[in-house]
Structure formats: C-alpha cells, structure tokens
Amino acid sequence: MSSLDGEVCVVTGACGFLGKTLIKMLLEQEKNIGEVRLLDINVKKEVLQSLQEIRGDIKLTVFEGDIRDADFVRKACRGATLVFHIASIIDVTEAVEPSEIYGVNVKGTENLLEACVQENVASFIYTSTVEVMGPNLKGDPVVNGHEDMAYRCALKSSYSRTKKEAEVRALEYHGEWLPDGGRLATCALRPMYIYGEDCRFLLGHMADGVRNGDVLYRMSQREAKVNPVYVGNVAVAHLQAARCLKDPERRADVGGKFYFVSDDTPHISYSDFNYAIMSPLGFGIQERMMVPLPLFYVFCFLWEMVCLMLRPFRRVVPPINRQLLTMLNTPFSFSYDKAKRELGYTPKYTWQQARSNTTQWLAQQLPIQRQEIWKK
C-alpha cells in the first residue's frame, strides 16, 4: 500500500470531531507527508497548539474561512494534492434553515470539487454518512447491509438530503480531466453514527441524564439495533482510502465508489449504547420509553404542526421529530466488508479500547456538566 509521502493535504472541518482526529493520525503515521492544511471557519487555538506539539517537521498551515467562498477554497487548494472533505452542518432536529445547510453541504462541496479541478488536485475523499441511505419513513430495517443492496428511501431531513446530493456530486467528479493532463480521483465514505472523545451528542445525552437524576432517557427500543463506529477507526478508513487513491494500481478500482465504514462495536440500540458508555460513571437508564412508540409519533406530529403554525412569527424547533424518532427506532446496521476487501481497511481500535477512551473522556467532562447544571 502506498504511503502519503510528499502529499499536500487539505482537511476541511479541521477543528471538528473527526477532522482533528484525522489530522493527528496523519501527523503520527505519515512522517514524510509534505504539508497538512487546516481549513475551518474557526480554527481553534487549543486544537492548533495540540497539533503543533506532535507535528515534528511536518508543515501545518491554517486556512480560516468559509467553504461557500469559492475564491477562498481555490486558494486553500492551490498546490495541494489531496483533499479530505469532512466539513458539513450536521443537523438532526431541523434547527438550521435548509438554505444554510444546502449552502454549506452542497455548494461548499461543489466549490471544493471545482477548486480541485482548477488547481490539479489529484485525490478527493468525501466524508458522507449512513443517513444518505435512510432509514426510510416506514422504518424498514437493515441488518448487516452492504453497498450493493437495494433500499427504498425518500430522504426527508435537510441534512440527509444535502449529504446525499453532495456525495453524488463528489462521485460524479471522478475522472474529471485536470489542466496538467491527469485526472481527479474521488471516493466517498459512509460512516455509521460516530462516537468517541469530543462527541457532542454523547455529551448532550450525559447532560440530560444528569438533569434526570443520573438516569439516561430511553429514546429507542432495545431491538432497534445499529452499529456505531469509533472516531479513530473512521480516521483509519480515511487514510486507507487516500493511500488507495494515490496507488496507480488501486486508484481505478476504488475511485468513483462509496464505502460503508463500521467496526466491531456491538450491534445495539442508540439508547443502550449510551448506557454501555456511561454506566461505568454511575448512570442508569430507563427500562422503557416514557410513552409507547405510536403515541410518541403522535406527540411529534403535534409538535411539528404547532411549530409550523408559529413559523411566520417565530422559528421554534421541537426537541425531536418523526424522522429522528424513526432513526432511533429502526434496526439499521451495515458491514465494512467491502471497505476491508477493497480499501484494506481494518479497525485499529477494538470495542474495549474505544469504549474505555470514550468513557474516560466523559468522566473528565462530568464534573463540568454537573457544575453548569447546578448553576442553572
């Protein structure tokens, strides 16, 4: 497998959950990489400082700006050879205006792809999501799904629709001619729900549990099993994809394709996963959902209707909607066999390591959470 020696990498969303994990892994594993460019709308000083401490002789360059700015994006890609496009607006409650999500997730991706063509960038890896697959509104289950399966899905949320549209754009650009006579190679990775250190969703669930007397809410039924993936293993998959796209013999086989990314985290419901991570910290979990699932859908529908009626006067976002409730209560798991076979991807971190790392991080955050909640 090719190394990334000499590559000039652009990482969008560089200070985000996955972005900084990937950059850290790049710096630790690819000692002869040419340059790593951190592209983010807000480059956090603490993230940059932590990376500076491990970079060795590798050049780190900061590009602070908005991927909706085509000129800025082209400047960031000038002289680059590889782009990891991770940045996006993640919104599962429809709290963000659809036009805002579209601008970042779709137009931002188009700007990056066009910049790659204009600036002779050889490889582009798009970070997609399992949500481009579903689940559909009927809650049709998938158990150990794969890339070639058929699944009826009409994506409803702005997030899933824009991520799907951006993924399609990224794969369509595979094979585009570059000014230097080469061709752009692209591929897309579809991780499951990503967890690990700095996961804001886990932090939110823990805060809710603290408010509820250290009892986690049950929002999903036990049988609605999914397979979350550890952030470190998602970073590993990105590096493997990059090495494949650089390798002339593998490039044609991998380019233009998407791959599901999971690991050996047990198949488990979202709520029971939260409990598995947080039970060592003394948290319990509700035995059953607060209301039967059919009634929960009725409540969500009523919330959505009230918010819709208020929309001309004030934007109110319900804490949960029917699409999110379906996602939380649909068995929806996917295999990483194709990524293993074609990318050479093998999870670096076991479930035990991933769980321990995540729980330790949450243990550090717990006193801060309690203090903030007590103040309120």
Side-chain angles (χ1 to χ4, degrees), residues 166-345:
E167 180 190 278
V168 169
R169 294 276 203 285
L171 298 182
E172 285 175 345
Y173 265 74
H174 175 67
E176 283 287 315
W177 285 103
L178 304 177
D180 65 1
R183 290 196 177 200
L184 176 64
T186 71
C187 71
L189 303 180
R190 293 180 176 180
M192 307 299 107
Y193 165 69
I194 306 175
Y195 70 94
E197 303 92 313
D198 290 332
C199 175
R200 63 184 174 93
F201 295 110
L202 281 175
L203 205 57
H205 294 311
M206 186 172 72
D208 289 339
V210 170
R211 293 187 193 96
N212 194 41
D214 289 355
V215 177
L216 300 170
Y217 290 103
R218 177 169 292 283
M219 302 298 291
S220 51
Q221 299 173 315
R222 288 182 178 83
E223 60 270 23
K225 294 183 178 182
V226 294
N227 54 332
V229 60
Y230 182 59
V231 64
N233 289 329
V234 180
V236 169
H238 279 71
L239 291 188
Q240 285 299 111
R243 291 167 184 145
C244 286
L245 290 184
K246 186 179 180 182
D247 187 335
E249 295 181 4
R250 306 288 296 278
R251 189 177 176 91
D253 296 331
V254 171
K257 296 181 181 179
F258 67 85
Y259 296 88
F260 289 112
V261 179
S262 56
D263 57 19
D264 300 321
T265 300
H267 291 214
I268 192 171
S269 78
Y270 283 107
S271 292
D272 290 302
F273 173 76
N274 292 338
Y275 177 63
I277 293 292
M278 298 182 209
S279 57
L281 304 179
F283 284 88
I285 187 172
Q286 293 173 335
E287 275 296 309
R288 56 183 63 87
M289 297 176 72
M290 292 177 286
V291 294
L293 187 58
L295 190 57
F296 213 153
Y297 274 104
V298 174
F299 286 157
C300 286
F301 172 75
L302 294 175
W303 277 333
E304 290 171 35
M305 291 303 101
V306 169
C307 292
L308 189 62
M309 289 187 288
L310 290 173
R311 183 63 56 87
F313 313 102
R314 183 181 176 187
R315 183 174 175 82
V316 179
V317 179
I320 188 168
N321 54 53
R322 286 171 291 169
Q323 175 71 21
L324 179 54
L325 192 61
T326 298
M327 185 181 78
L328 294 174
N329 286 281
T330 300
F332 213 64
S333 60
F334 290 83
S335 165
Y336 64 84
D337 281 352
K338 188 172 183 179
K340 182 178 181 180
R341 187 171 63 251
E342 296 189 6
L343 299 180
Y345 162 68

Side-chain angles (χ1 to χ4, degrees), residues 80-91:
T81 56
L82 167 64
V83 170
F84 293 101
H85 179 31
I86 299 172
S88 70
I89 293 178
I90 301 174
D91 177 32

Side-chain angles (χ1 to χ4, degrees), residues 40-252:
D40 207 307
I41 198 166
N42 179 22
V43 177
K44 300 172 185 174
K45 290 182 181 179
E46 61 270 22
V47 173
L48 183 58
Q49 183 177 353
S50 67
L51 296 174
Q52 291 280 11
E53 292 171 357
I54 62 171
R55 72 179 179 87
D57 296 327
I58 298 172
K59 182 180 179 182
L60 284 181
T61 309
V62 172
F63 285 85
E64 191 169 78
D66 195 322
I67 59 173
R68 289 172 290 187
D69 182 341
D71 291 335
F72 162 73
V73 166
R74 184 168 181 180
K75 181 181 177 183
C77 289
R78 191 161 296 144
T81 56
L82 167 64
V83 170
F84 293 101
H85 179 31
I86 299 172
S88 70
I89 293 178
I90 301 174
D91 177 32
V92 296
T93 61
E94 299 289 318
V96 182
E97 288 287 352
S99 59
E100 180 87 358
I101 297 179
Y102 184 86
V104 172
N105 292 2
V106 179
K107 295 303 293 183
T109 301
E110 290 175 342
N111 285 342
L112 280 158
L113 288 163
E114 194 56 35
C116 286
V117 171
Q118 294 166 341
E119 299 297 335
N120 293 304
V121 178
S123 303
F124 182 95
I125 297 167
Y126 176 68
T127 308
S128 188
T129 169
V130 67
E131 288 187 49
V132 304
M133 190 74 174
N136 60 29
L137 295 178
K138 293 181 180 179
D140 292 330
V142 174
V143 179
N144 282 324
H146 54 84
E147 288 80 354
D148 300 319
M149 68 177 291
Y151 184 78
R152 249 178 220 284
C153 183
L155 299 171
K156 183 180 179 183
S157 75
S158 297
Y159 172 63
S160 57
R161 284 200 309 271
T162 56
K163 290 296 286 185
K164 177 64 175 179
E165 188 171 342
E167 180 190 278
V168 169
R169 294 276 203 285
L171 298 182
E172 285 175 345
Y173 265 74
H174 175 67
E176 283 287 315
W177 285 103
L178 304 177
D180 65 1
R183 290 196 177 200
L184 176 64
T186 71
C187 71
L189 303 180
R190 293 180 176 180
M192 307 299 107
Y193 165 69
I194 306 175
Y195 70 94
E197 303 92 313
D198 290 332
C199 175
R200 63 184 174 93
F201 295 110
L202 281 175
L203 205 57
H205 294 311
M206 186 172 72
D208 289 339
V210 170
R211 293 187 193 96
N212 194 41
D214 289 355
V215 177
L216 300 170
Y217 290 103
R218 177 169 292 283
M219 302 298 291
S220 51
Q221 299 173 315
R222 288 182 178 83
E223 60 270 23
K225 294 183 178 182
V226 294
N227 54 332
V229 60
Y230 182 59
V231 64
N233 289 329
V234 180
V236 169
H238 279 71
L239 291 188
Q240 285 299 111
R243 291 167 184 145
C244 286
L245 290 184
K246 186 179 180 182
D247 187 335
E249 295 181 4
R250 306 288 296 278
R251 189 177 176 91

